[in-house]
Amino acid sequence: MLAFDNTCVFCFILLNVYIVYSYWISLLAILLVYSALRPIIKTSRSRLDIGRKGVFITGCDTGFGHHLAKRLDDKGYTVYAGVLSEQSPGAKALQARQSDRLHVIKLDVTKDDDVEQALTFVRSTGPGLWAIVNNAGIDFPADVELATVDQYKRCAEVNLYGMIRVIKAFLPMIRKSKGRIVNMSSVKGRYSWPGDSVYIVTKHGIETMSDSLRLEMKKFGVKVAVIEPGQYDGATSISSPEQLKRLRKEIDYMWEKASEEVRQTYGRSYFDAIYQGMERETSGGRQMSADPVMNAIEDSLINVTPQARYLVGGSFSLVDKLGILAKVYNFLPEFISDRIVEKMTGCASFTR
């Protein structure tokens, strides 16, 4: 009986060793095959000549949307640049180009009327619509226990439901042209991060919705791509003075809505540290070129076989780490991925 028990234990140990090592061997094999095929895949791509067909871009007041509108206009595309306000500095800068190819359109992606009016304008002008680039987005950094349900809803209404609203409105035009839908996600669409779930929930939603849409659109010849930038604060408006003012108001709102128990547990200093962290990133950062992200978007628009996902890392050490984490996160067991994130963020320790 004892010998039988020892045999069972030995077999159990062997089984676990096999499971662990076979997992890593399989992962290594997949990565080696991918690394070998990637240059072949990249070099085999050919580009389309879409002429002056239109590209509709949301969120062009600032950031990636603004950069993309200018780049595509310079390259001769017809551009429909959706802006939250036609009086914003970014909107006025686009209007000042006085290009007959660049149309600046008032667009709040959370409003059905704005989307319908934009659709009517696009239908009545230009040589047809080739692509949509869903770029509009906002963020409310905070712990789950601190962020309000209202903030979750407001972020999702722009980042996720606003994107869906635009896609559903313009999809008949895209089907007709057998064109492209490009959705702006983030490296954080691939993994979770403490203190940013309000934003990350929407980016994970963008990833999964885009996958469903990509599969559904294959029968119509429409390609769907996801862009996943790293931390390009210097190339976007996420840490601009205007956004920091908005963040300050949102943090004050969180404190106002927090229960007495939450206030006593965390303290006001914990809430203020969220703002101070963003402020440090703004003052300590440097300008980053948006070109790597623009290159990825342009590739997704005009390649015959665009990638399903474009992971675009940055140049800072943290950004590089985030890009690497995004590539391997889903292959790692939680006890490893959690430890990596804890080390990078310090989220496992608590000080008031």
Side-chain angles (χ1 to χ4, degrees):
M1 185 67 178
L2 181 62
F4 178 76
D5 289 343
N6 287 337
T7 301
C8 288
V9 171
F10 180 69
C11 290
F12 179 76
I13 293 172
L14 283 179
L15 177 62
N16 278 273
V17 169
Y18 170 76
I19 291 172
V20 171
Y21 281 98
S22 64
Y23 173 86
W24 290 108
I25 291 171
S26 299
L27 174 59
L28 179 60
I30 291 170
L31 291 176
L32 288 173
V33 170
Y34 175 74
S35 299
L37 292 178
R38 191 177 181 190
I40 300 173
I41 295 171
K42 281 191 171 184
T43 56
S44 66
R45 295 168 181 238
S46 57
R47 291 176 172 254
L48 296 166
D49 179 8
I50 65 173
R52 292 191 60 178
K53 287 181 181 177
V55 179
F56 185 85
I57 312 166
T58 69
C60 293
D61 300 80
T62 58
F64 293 139
H66 187 78
H67 291 301
L68 183 63
K70 292 193 292 186
R71 173 185 275 214
L72 296 185
D73 177 43
D74 289 340
K75 294 200 169 187
Y77 299 106
T78 299
V79 179
Y80 301 97
V83 296
L84 187 60
S85 170
E86 292 176 297
Q87 301 306 312
S88 70
K92 289 183 177 180
L94 294 177
Q95 293 164 350
R97 289 179 150 242
Q98 297 183 337
S99 168
D100 62 351
R101 298 183 301 273
L102 177 58
H103 307 278
V104 179
I105 304 172
K106 166 72 170 62
L107 178 69
D108 181 343
V109 297
T110 70
K111 295 181 178 178
D112 290 332
D113 287 347
D114 275 21
V115 174
E116 286 299 321
Q117 289 174 16
L119 176 62
T120 299
F121 180 84
V122 173
R123 278 176 172 166
S124 63
T125 60
L129 189 65
W130 171 253
I132 310 166
V133 180
N134 286 294
N135 168 75
I138 58 174
D139 188 8
F140 295 115
D143 293 14
V144 174
E145 195 170 17
L146 309 186
T148 67
V149 173
D150 175 60
Q151 287 170 325
Y152 275 96
K153 288 180 177 179
R154 280 189 281 139
C155 190
E157 189 61 42
V158 176
N159 296 5
L160 181 58
Y161 299 120
M163 177 192 70
I164 294 171
R165 182 177 287 108
V166 170
I167 288 173
K168 288 181 69 65
F170 285 87
L171 201 49
M173 293 191 74
I174 300 299
R175 276 195 288 100
K176 184 177 180 180
S177 65
K178 299 184 185 299
R180 304 291 163 87
I181 298 171
V182 181
N183 297 327
M184 185 67 70
S185 180
S186 164
V187 292
K188 291 181 180 178
R190 294 200 184 195
Y191 59 82
S192 295
W193 196 256
D196 207 10
S197 68
V198 178
Y199 175 80
I200 290 172
V201 163
T202 66
K203 294 304 178 181
H204 278 260
I206 289 171
E207 297 275 346
T208 56
M209 195 284 299
S210 298
D211 285 341
S212 295
L213 185 64
R214 186 182 69 253
L215 294 168
E216 293 165 0
M217 287 294 109
K218 282 180 178 289
K219 57 183 171 285
F220 298 113
V222 174
K223 305 290 197 305
V224 179
V226 177
I227 311 297
E228 301 168 325
Q231 190 172 341
Y232 280 83
D233 289 358
T236 70
S237 63
I238 194 168
S239 297
S240 67
E242 293 77 15
Q243 291 301 317
L244 286 175
K245 288 179 183 178
R246 181 183 65 82
L247 177 60
R248 176 80 269 176
K249 291 180 180 179
E250 295 296 344
I251 291 170
D252 291 341
Y253 179 72
M254 291 179 206
W255 177 257
E256 176 189 336
K257 294 297 182 180
S259 67
E260 190 59 34
E261 182 180 2
V262 167
R263 291 185 184 185
Q264 290 180 5
T265 299
Y266 289 87
R268 179 70 203 214
S269 60
Y270 190 94
F271 284 71
D272 291 337
I274 300 171
Y275 175 80
Q276 291 161 4
M278 291 292 290
E279 193 174 38
R280 280 194 300 272
E281 287 184 13
T282 305
S283 59
R286 65 181 186 183
Q287 287 298 113
M288 293 181 66
S289 171
D291 285 348
V293 180
M294 298 301 102
N295 293 340
I297 297 173
E298 188 174 356
D299 186 83
S300 72
L301 293 175
I302 63 175
N303 252 316
V304 174
T305 56
Q307 299 177 46
R309 281 175 171 77
Y310 292 79
L311 179 61
V312 191
S315 59
F316 301 148
S317 60
L318 175 61
V319 177
D320 290 339
K321 290 176 183 176
L322 293 180
I324 294 170
L325 179 62
K327 290 180 180 178
V328 303
Y329 186 83
N330 289 328
F331 296 101
L332 298 175
E334 284 77 6
F335 75 90
I336 294 179
S337 59
D338 283 0
R339 181 60 180 158
I340 292 171
V341 175
E342 288 168 10
K343 191 72 173 176
M344 294 174 73
T345 64
C347 66
S349 60
F350 176 69
T351 55
R352 291 190 56 176

